[in-house]
Amino acid sequence: AAKRSGQHKVMQFNSAQPEKTRRWLELAGQMATALQQRQYFLVYQPRIALHDGQVAGFEVLVRWQTPQGLISPGEFIPVAEETGFILELGRWILDQAIAQLASWQREQLAVGRLAINLSTRQLSDAGLQAFLLQSCARHGVDPAQLELEVTETVAMENLDWALPVLQQLRTLGLQIALDDFGTGYSSLAYLQQLPVSVLKIDLAFVRNLDREEGRAVVHTIITLARTLGCSTVAEGVETTAQRDWLLANGCHEMQGFLEARPMPADAVAGYLQAKAQG
Ligand code: C2E
Ligand code: MG
Ligand code: MG
Ligand code: MG
């Protein structure tokens, strides 16, 4: 039913923006078969504790390899959300990531926690918690090793039903992070209600750290996080100047090309080894 309504939307879209619609239809039409054909894979980007430079965990990011080339999640995730396919893809991502974490733990690799992005649509999936618990149990992973990233606006616009879901996930031991923090318009009153333990500072703010106003904004976010009892992760850290400022100003973790680009699972052991050897 979700798929049908998604396709209905395309028809309305069609007359207004034919160009975008052709691409949309192409992606929407191919994404389910792509799962059967194993065209999706996960990449992992390390999150580094700023105070000691150690790996605190990894963020899981999905990729779609088509015969014609790689498609970025920025392009296909919104389509998957609109068609409803994100429910199926999202479960595959969760299970795949949990299986990978279990495998790393068996190899005794110190990968830390895995942070998995969750779309709004998945939060409204009534079977989400049961699925997560089953997957963790099957692979032998402690849910406390997982963090779910939800966007600020997602949680805010759907607070009535999102709040109990987030609270239940929290009760199961999972950490909740607010992704792209600062790009929405959350009030303090609203934020205080959320069972969130991590704020991820959007890379747009990190990029502005070379300007005085940019630094003031990030400083405010870090202060706000402290008030809420949350830790902070800076996204998109690309320079040592950004890293040094973040460390000096109380940000907890960083993620970005300065440390490493997202890497395939089989590169993680080598990355950790090279890091340990300095
Ligand atoms: P996000 O969750 O905010 O992920 C951070 C994005 O920043 C990733 O892009 C990552 O590759 C990129 N990035 C990391 N470090 C740097 C840096 O130093 N500089 C720059 N310029 N970029 C950096 P990616 O992988 O293309 O993902 C884009 C978005 O797609 C994600 O934003 C997330 O919203 C969504 N997404 C990705 N994977 C998944 C997934 O498995 N499920 C869901 N629902 N959404 C996903
Ligand atoms: Mg994220
Ligand atoms: Mg983000
Ligand atoms: Mg983002």
Side-chain angles (χ1 to χ4, degrees), residues 6 45 57 91 126 131 155-156 178 192 196 213 222 241:
Q45 187 180 37
R91 284 183 176 209
F131 180 84
M156 181 168 60
L178 278 192
Q192 273 180 317
V196 160
E213 318 88 74
I222 294 169

Side-chain angles (χ1 to χ4, degrees), residues 125-270:
D125 175 358
L128 176 69
Q129 292 154 66
F131 180 84
L132 268 168
L133 278 187
Q134 276 163 23
S135 179
C136 282
R138 191 169 63 245
H139 298 295
V141 161
D142 178 357
Q145 294 298 114
L146 301 177
E147 189 171 296
L148 299 176
E149 299 191 1
V150 299
T151 60
E152 184 188 0
T153 32
V154 158
M156 181 168 60
E157 284 164 7
N158 307 286
L159 192 60
D160 285 351
W161 54 261
L163 187 58
V165 176
L166 293 176
Q167 280 164 343
Q168 278 156 11
L169 290 169
R170 189 71 198 87
T171 308
L172 300 178
L174 292 98
Q175 309 284 320
I176 310 291
L178 278 192
D179 206 351
D180 306 339
F181 188 77
T183 58
Y185 296 92
S186 309
S187 69
L188 195 55
Y190 156 78
L191 284 171
Q192 273 180 317
Q193 294 182 60
L194 292 178
V196 160
S197 42
V198 179
L199 299 189
K200 295 195 78 176
I201 305 168
D202 194 69
L203 51 82
F205 299 109
V206 174
R207 195 158 294 151
N208 286 336
L209 281 177
D210 57 354
R211 301 210 313 264
E212 182 52 42
E213 318 88 74
R215 286 191 290 275
V217 169
V218 174
H219 193 82
T220 303
I221 295 177
I222 294 169
T223 306
L224 171 62
R226 194 172 295 138
T227 306
L228 293 166
C230 292
S231 68
T232 40
V233 181
E235 296 190 284
V237 175
E238 296 184 354
T239 69
T240 50
Q242 291 166 345
R243 179 195 60 200
D244 294 348
W245 188 92
L246 289 161
L247 172 61
N249 286 273
C251 182
H252 297 93
E253 294 174 19
M254 67 158 193
Q255 199 180 329
F257 297 168
L258 174 66
E259 173 66 23
R261 289 184 180 251
M263 62 189 88
D266 61 12
V268 165

Side-chain angles (χ1 to χ4, degrees), residues 15-33:
S15 50
Q17 290 184 11
E19 200 48 52
K20 187 173 181 185
T21 298
R22 199 182 305 135
R23 178 67 169 163
W24 196 100
L25 275 171
E26 192 190 333
L27 295 179
Q30 290 171 359
M31 46 182 46
T33 338

Side-chain angles (χ1 to χ4, degrees), residues 51-86:
H51 73 279
D52 62 4
Q54 295 300 301
V55 173
F58 285 81
E59 178 175 6
V60 180
L61 297 155
V62 68
R63 297 287 179 265
W64 180 4
Q65 181 69 62
T66 72
Q68 290 77 38
L70 199 63
I71 307 179
S72 86
E75 187 174 9
F76 70 82
I77 290 287
V79 180
E81 284 175 350
E82 227 180 308
T83 64
F85 177 65
I86 191 66

